[in-house]
């Protein structure tokens, strides 16, 4: 296990359900349950007939561009959003990159691997993990922030994030979970009026395609060209391209919008259940707006282990800069699953 400044930046939720965790009910990974849907699996399977040919991403790139009302020159397809962080770290000539934490740790890990010294802006629980733009150093020439942010589930106002733009600064907004927000409110994807803006999107979370690896970057054409030069040849497979084209089409966008409202209702049910444990010291970061919630409670490490013994996997929070061992992240699931989890949590807290 490699740590950076006391945090294992390479630890992710899937570690909780590997190996002996395969039988656990998974609240550790933020991939929507019951995905990919049958129609998407069939569409991907049909693409296998074309595996003898090299991947051709033009149709998928055009579909993504149309989805956001952008020219294709502003779109780059990637092997998941994680590849985009590596490309940004390797391709962009920046002197003072800053990552706003707590958030997904892969951006900082990629920057460090590329030899950068990374500054951190740590958002505070007492502020609701909300961003004060004045906390970002004025001389930062690369700023990375998630929206909604993993793991805090905070949705920052689009205008607040846009205010971080400066001449000579690249502003990277990770919108991997934005399609799980009803109406995608506060999204910056599709905006061309924010200088230096780079928006990352993932198709793995909402559509259950983590094993296929597909995402994309939206940015100015010159930035897209820089990132594309850093990519290997044919970086996105034919099945992943087929998935990308399908997942940004009208049918899929409508289905994702419906799912976002369902997630919001399921999240409200989870939050109501968690409120029962306030006397036990449990606190919820928020207001939560993503398909996951962040909770703080005494003896969280012991509680997580007891939950595991009871058949439930949750995400430890201490690997995120700005959090400690008292934090846990819970993926939002359907009501029946949530009710089962709440019963297990009650047992874990009583043990």
């Amino acid at each position: 296990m490699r740590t950076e400044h006391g945090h294992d930046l390479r630890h992710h939720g899937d570690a909780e359900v590997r190996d002996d965790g395969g039988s656990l009910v998974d609240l550790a990974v933020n991939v929507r349950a019951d995905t990919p849907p049958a129609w998407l699996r069939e569409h991907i399977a049909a693409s296998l007939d074309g595996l003898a040919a090299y991947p051709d991403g033009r149709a998928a790139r055009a579909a993504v561009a149309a989805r956001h009302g952008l020219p294709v020159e502003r779109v780059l397809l990637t092997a998941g959003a994680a590849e985009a962080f590596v490309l940004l770290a390797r391709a962009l000539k920046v002197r003072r990159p800053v990552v706003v934490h707590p958030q997904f740790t892969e951006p900082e890990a990629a920057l460090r691997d590329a030899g950068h010294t990374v500054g951190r802006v740590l958002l505070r629980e007492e502020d609701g993990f909300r961003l004060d733009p004045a906390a970002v150093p004025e001389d930062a020439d690369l700023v990375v922030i998630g929206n909604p942010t993993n793991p805090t589930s905070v949705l920052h106002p689009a205008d607040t994030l846009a205010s971080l733009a400066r001449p000579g600064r690249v502003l990277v907004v990770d919108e991997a979970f934005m399609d799980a927000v009803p109406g995608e409110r506060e999204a910056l994807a599709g905006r061309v009026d924010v200088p230096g803006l780079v928006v990352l999107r993932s198709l793995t979370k909402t559509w259950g395609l983590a094993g296929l690896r597909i995402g994309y970057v939206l940015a100015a054409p010159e930035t897209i060209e820089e990132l594309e030069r850093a990519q290997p040849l044919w970086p996105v497979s034919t099945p992943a391209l087929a998935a990308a084209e399908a997942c940004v089409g009208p049918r899929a966008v409508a289905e994702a919008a419906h799912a976002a409202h369902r997630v919001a209702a399921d999240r409200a049910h989870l939050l109501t259940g968690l409120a029962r444990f306030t006397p036990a010291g449990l606190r919820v970061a928020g207001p939560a707006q993503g398909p996951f919630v962040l909770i703080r409670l005494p003896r969280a490490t012991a509680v997580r282990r007891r939950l595991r013994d009871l058949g439930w996997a949750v995400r430890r929070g201490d690997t995120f800069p700005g959090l400690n061992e008292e934090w846990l992240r819970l993926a939002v699931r359907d009501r029946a699953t949530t009710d089962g989890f709440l019963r297990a949590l009650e047992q874990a807290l009583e043990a």
Side-chain angles (χ1 to χ4, degrees), residues 14 17 171 175 178 195 223 226 235 247 253 271 284 288 338 348:
D14 62 311
V17 291
L171 172 61
E175 292 188 350
M178 186 60 79
T223 301
E226 286 185 80
C247 289
V253 171
L271 293 173
V284 180
T338 292

Side-chain angles (χ1 to χ4, degrees), residues 98-102 120-124 127-137 143-147 149 152 154-165 169 171-173 188:
V98 168
V99 178
V100 179
H101 286 289
R120 290 176 177 173
V121 172
L122 298 180
L123 305 185
R124 305 186 307 167
D127 298 327
F129 294 112
R130 295 197 166 276
L131 173 68
D132 175 4
V136 177
V143 178
V144 184
I145 187 168
N147 203 36
T149 302
T152 65
V154 168
L155 184 66
H156 303 285
D159 289 345
T160 298
L161 298 188
S163 74
L164 294 174
R169 172 184 287 179
L171 172 61
V172 179
V173 181
L188 289 172

Side-chain angles (χ1 to χ4, degrees), residues 216-246:
Y216 54 89
V217 181
L218 307 175
E222 56 271 22
T223 301
I224 294 297
E225 289 176 3
E226 286 185 80
L227 300 179
E228 195 168 20
R229 283 195 292 269
Q231 273 188 316
L233 291 173
W234 308 291
V236 181
S237 70
T238 294
L241 292 171
E245 187 173 358

Side-chain angles (χ1 to χ4, degrees), residues 73-347:
E73 293 80 10
R74 283 183 166 266
V75 176
L76 181 68
L77 302 173
T78 58
E83 188 206 6
F85 293 123
V86 174
L87 296 177
L88 288 163
R90 293 178 178 177
L92 301 185
K93 306 299 186 289
V94 295
R95 295 168 288 98
R96 191 176 182 192
V98 168
V99 178
V100 179
H101 286 289
Q103 80 148 10
F104 185 50
T105 53
E106 204 60 32
E108 180 171 329
L111 285 162
R112 292 186 180 280
D113 286 348
H116 296 283
T117 300
V118 183
R120 290 176 177 173
V121 172
L122 298 180
L123 305 185
R124 305 186 307 167
E125 178 190 6
E126 52 265 42
D127 298 327
F129 294 112
R130 295 197 166 276
L131 173 68
D132 175 4
V136 177
E138 194 63 32
D139 63 345
D141 56 359
L142 173 68
V143 178
V144 184
I145 187 168
N147 203 36
T149 302
N150 171 22
T152 65
S153 206
V154 168
L155 184 66
H156 303 285
D159 289 345
T160 298
L161 298 188
S163 74
L164 294 174
R166 300 282 189 280
R169 172 184 287 179
V170 177
L171 172 61
V172 179
V173 181
D174 176 8
E175 292 188 350
F177 295 98
M178 186 60 79
D179 59 355
V181 176
E184 296 195 5
R185 64 187 190 279
E186 312 303 344
L188 289 172
R191 293 274 296 269
V192 297
D193 60 324
V194 182
L197 176 64
V198 176
V199 173
L200 308 184
R201 285 285 181 111
S202 170
L203 296 173
T204 65
K205 316 299 184 185
T206 289
W207 297 107
L209 297 175
L212 196 61
R213 311 309 306 144
I214 180 64
Y216 54 89
V217 181
L218 307 175
E222 56 271 22
T223 301
I224 294 297
E225 289 176 3
E226 286 185 80
L227 300 179
E228 195 168 20
R229 283 195 292 269
Q231 273 188 316
L233 291 173
W234 308 291
V236 181
S237 70
T238 294
L241 292 171
E245 187 173 358
C247 289
V248 296
R251 172 183 180 174
V253 171
E255 184 173 321
H258 177 74
H261 287 282
R262 188 170 65 249
V263 166
D266 289 340
R267 183 181 60 238
H269 182 70
L270 172 61
L271 293 173
T272 297
L274 291 172
R276 302 200 318 254
F277 302 104
T278 300
L282 187 149
R283 297 199 299 277
V284 180
Q289 299 293 327
F292 46 87
V293 299
L294 181 68
I295 66 171
R296 185 173 191 172
L297 73 163
R299 303 177 294 112
T301 299
V303 170
R304 181 171 64 87
R305 289 171 180 158
R306 289 176 192 138
L307 285 169
R308 193 174 186 87
D309 291 340
L310 292 167
W312 299 83
V314 299
R315 171 66 157 91
R316 57 189 280 202
D318 60 313
T319 62
F320 294 99
L323 302 182
N324 59 29
E325 67 281 354
E326 292 188 345
W327 293 93
L328 301 172
R329 190 192 69 195
L330 314 173
V332 172
R333 299 293 186 236
D334 64 88
R335 293 190 174 206
T337 301
T338 292
D339 289 343
F341 167 72
L342 293 170
R343 290 191 293 270
L345 179 59
E346 185 172 15
Q347 294 180 56

